[in-house]
């Protein structure tokens, strides 16, 4: 991954992990150990899904820029579908508190989106790749 991509990933993942840690503490106090586990699982899923999505979008932008917007929409739809599958598989679980999981999932997703947006706004990313061939236009040789 290029350095800009890693910086954006870190600037999105760190605040998301912080929100997840706060949610785990609050869920632990409110719902006990199961609440804390639900918050931790939601935080890990958010960072994993959003991180993979960011990586896929960055690769697509570099290799197939004309498919970037379509890939983004398809990726977000796939992420929602995967979360739905996960929620359906664990809807009756006693491993963690589903309410703590759901609330943390929403909070960490919003934290990721806000942090990623801020990171993109602060990054100085070139929109047009400079000519790397080294050819410079010749100066006109007017002498006075």
């Amino acid at each position: 991954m290029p350095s800009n991509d890693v910086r954006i990933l870190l600037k999105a993942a760190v605040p998301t992990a912080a929100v997840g840690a706060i949610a785990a503490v609050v869920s632990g106090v409110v719902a006990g150990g199961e609440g804390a586990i639900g918050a931790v699982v939601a935080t890990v899923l958010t960072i994993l899904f959003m991180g993979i999505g960011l990586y896929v979008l960055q690769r697509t932008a570099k290799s197939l820029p004309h498919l970037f917007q379509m890939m983004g929409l398809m990726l977000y739809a796939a992420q929602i579908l995967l979360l739905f599958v996960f929620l359906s598989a664990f809807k009756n679980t006693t491993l963690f508190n589903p309410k703590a999981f759901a609330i943390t999932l929403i909070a960490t997703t919003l934290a990721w989106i806000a942090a990623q947006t801020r990171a993109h706004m602060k990054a100085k990313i070139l929109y047009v790749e400079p000519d790397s061939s080294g050819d410079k236009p010749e100066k006109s040789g007017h002498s006075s």
Side-chain angles (χ1 to χ4, degrees):
M1 266 182 129
S3 63
N4 273 340
D5 299 344
V6 173
R7 268 191 297 252
I8 289 172
L9 180 65
L10 285 175
K11 288 182 179 181
V14 170
T16 303
V19 168
I22 293 167
V25 170
V26 171
S27 296
V29 169
V30 172
E34 292 173 352
I37 292 171
V40 169
V41 169
T43 302
V44 169
L45 275 178
T46 300
I47 292 173
L48 184 67
F49 282 10
M50 298 300 249
I52 290 170
L54 178 63
Y55 176 74
V56 168
L57 281 179
Q58 295 296 340
R59 298 261 318 191
T60 301
K62 286 176 181 48
S63 61
L64 303 165
H66 58 284
L67 296 178
F68 180 72
Q69 186 176 15
M70 187 218 34
M71 253 327 251
L73 293 172
M74 186 182 78
L75 184 68
Y76 289 128
Q79 287 173 334
I80 290 170
L81 181 64
L82 285 172
L83 283 174
F84 179 74
V85 168
F86 184 87
L87 286 171
S88 295
F90 289 96
K91 69 180 175 184
N92 294 323
T93 187
T94 57
L95 294 173
F96 56 82
N97 185 312
K99 287 184 182 177
F101 173 81
I103 292 169
T104 303
L105 189 66
I106 292 168
T108 53
T109 300
L110 292 174
W112 179 282
I113 291 169
Q116 184 179 353
T117 301
R118 186 175 192 281
H120 274 292
M121 290 173 59
K122 294 284 186 179
K124 294 185 173 30
I125 300 172
L126 296 174
Y127 291 100
V128 177
E129 293 291 328
D131 186 19
S132 62
S133 64
D135 295 334
K136 296 182 180 178
E138 293 182 22
K139 293 182 180 180
S140 60
H142 296 296
S143 59
S144 322

